[in-house]
């Protein structure tokens, strides 16, 4: 067996409402505990990027290894929780300490989006991309409902009225890889590193961490990280990542835009 044990600090940071629920609901507590135990015994050197480990609870955990410039060893994550200590031997298994309590995914990416991203979910449905997003590995930078309120009225109506435009907007929020917030490099001295990823639309996405520790995808702030789904990860952003072809003008003509 392999145990991914949350640190004392991670346990102390469990929200009170969840802790109260776990005290009352023994079945849910068992479900969460078993989600931290993988069936196979794996040392850290046996872990690989995008590897899946079956859990005793019947779910799967995704392992990712993030390699950063200037670091000898890759940063390991399990369901986007950082591995902060590794390879403690116990009878019949290995223990790796992680910085977060893990909870089983509630469903695939589409199901994970429904609660706090209703506008984006509607856009996905209108674009006809629901089935595509339910399959294969994806990281979704999902705009909160409040992000749509920032759009000019004519752009907002355009993306909900023209299917081709809707599809391009949705695809520009998808990365066909696992991207955890822990994988975004921290500021080191005077050097500020960034990750560059291509969206599903083919545009370049620059993901960086500010001096204050906040994470941005282009100009959008990632306000909630690492919502786990069975086929990927959802991060909540406060601003839509509009494709380059959807350009807003400034000043007096701010209500006009071009598609090109």
């Amino acid at each position: 067996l392999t145990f991914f044990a949350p640190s004392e600090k991670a346990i102390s940071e469990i929200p009170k409402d969840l802790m109260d629920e776990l005290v009352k609901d023994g079945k849910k507590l068992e479900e969460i505990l078993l989600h931290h135990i993988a069936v196979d015994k794996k040392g850290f050197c046996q872990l690989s990027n995008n590897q899946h480990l079956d859990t005793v609870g019947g779910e799967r955990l995704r392992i990712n290894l993030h390699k950063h410039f200037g670091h000898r060893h890759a940063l390991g994550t399990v369901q986007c929780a950082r591995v902060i200590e590794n390879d403690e031997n116990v009878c019949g298994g290995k223990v790796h300490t992680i910085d977060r309590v893990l909870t089983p995914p509630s469903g695939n990416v589409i199901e994970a989006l429904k609660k706090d991203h209703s506008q984006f979910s509607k856009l996905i449905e209108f674009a006809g991309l629901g089935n595509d997003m339910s399959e294969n590995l994806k990281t979704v930078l999902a705009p909160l409902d409040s992000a749509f309120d920032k759009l000019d009225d004519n752009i907002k109506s355009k993306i909900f009225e023209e299917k081709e435009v809707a599809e391009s907007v949705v695809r520009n929020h998808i990365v066909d890889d696992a991207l955890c917030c822990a994988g975004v490099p921290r500021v080191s001295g005077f050097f500020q590193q960034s990750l560059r990823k291509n969206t599903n639309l083919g545009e370049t996405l620059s993901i960086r961490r500010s001096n204050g520790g906040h994470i941005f995808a282009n100009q959008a702030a990632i306000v909630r990280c690492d919502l786990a789904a069975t086929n990927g990860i959802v991060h909540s952003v406060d601003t839509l990542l509009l494709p380059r072809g959807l350009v807003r003008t400034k000043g007096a003509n701010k209500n006009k835009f071009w598609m090109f």
Side-chain angles (χ1 to χ4, degrees):
L1 301 176
T2 301
F3 300 86
F4 294 98
S7 66
E8 292 291 333
K9 184 174 185 291
I11 292 174
S12 71
E13 292 174 347
I14 296 176
K16 185 180 184 302
D17 55 348
L18 176 58
M19 184 64 82
D20 291 343
E21 184 180 354
L22 295 178
V23 169
K24 297 176 183 176
D25 190 341
K27 184 172 177 58
K28 182 161 187 175
L29 176 60
E30 179 184 7
E31 181 182 82
I32 288 179
L33 291 174
L34 295 181
H35 193 59
H36 290 77
I37 307 172
V39 173
D40 296 325
K41 179 181 177 181
K42 295 287 186 182
F44 192 79
C45 65
Q46 297 173 297
L47 302 178
S48 59
N49 195 43
N50 283 329
Q51 179 182 15
H52 286 95
L53 300 180
D54 293 325
T55 70
V56 174
E59 301 284 348
R60 294 201 303 173
L61 294 171
R62 177 179 292 104
I63 304 296
N64 288 106
L65 300 179
H66 309 273
K67 296 182 179 179
H68 295 157
F69 177 76
H71 294 260
R72 289 182 56 192
H73 303 290
L75 168 69
T77 59
V78 52
Q79 197 174 300
C80 287
R82 289 190 307 129
V83 177
I84 54 178
E85 295 180 20
N86 58 61
D87 288 341
E88 180 182 348
N89 290 301
V90 294
C91 183
K94 289 274 190 182
V95 176
H96 306 297
T97 303
I98 56 177
D99 70 346
R100 186 187 310 168
V101 173
L102 307 177
T103 55
S106 59
N108 61 33
V109 161
I110 290 295
E111 292 164 326
L113 286 169
K114 289 180 179 177
K115 182 179 180 182
D116 297 317
H117 308 87
S118 61
Q119 289 293 307
F120 192 57
S121 294
K122 290 177 184 176
L123 193 64
I124 292 169
E125 184 178 357
F126 175 63
L129 294 174
N131 290 337
D132 181 65
M133 292 184 64
S134 299
E135 303 171 352
N136 301 320
L137 177 59
K138 289 180 173 34
T139 296
V140 181
L141 297 160
L144 293 168
D145 289 347
S146 57
F148 287 84
D149 296 333
K150 298 180 180 180
L151 295 174
D152 291 341
D153 289 341
N154 52 356
I155 293 181
K156 186 174 181 178
S157 62
K158 187 84 171 176
I159 65 177
F160 280 102
E161 290 173 1
E162 296 192 16
K163 187 173 182 178
E164 184 177 338
V165 177
E167 182 178 341
S168 69
V169 171
V170 172
R171 290 193 183 279
N172 211 41
H173 289 79
I174 301 170
V175 176
D176 293 320
D177 194 4
L179 175 63
C180 298
C181 283
V184 181
R186 297 178 181 274
V187 176
S188 178
F190 293 105
F191 298 99
Q192 187 175 46
Q193 303 178 55
S194 65
L195 292 178
R196 291 195 174 273
K197 296 284 186 179
N198 287 332
T199 69
N200 188 263
L201 188 63
E203 298 196 0
T204 301
L205 193 64
S206 176
I207 304 162
R208 68 196 186 282
R209 191 184 296 269
S210 71
N211 290 325
H214 303 291
I215 301 175
F216 293 85
N218 291 351
Q219 301 306 312
I222 297 178
V223 294
R224 188 176 67 184
C225 286
D226 304 333
L227 177 61
T230 54
N231 68 316
I233 306 159
V234 174
H235 306 301
S236 300
V237 295
D238 69 348
T239 305
L240 269 78
L241 303 168
L242 296 176
R244 286 192 302 266
L246 190 59
V247 179
R248 290 186 297 177
T249 60
K250 307 291 184 180
N253 294 323
K254 67 179 181 178
N255 291 325
K256 297 181 181 179
F257 63 92
W258 296 269
M259 291 293 296
F260 58 90

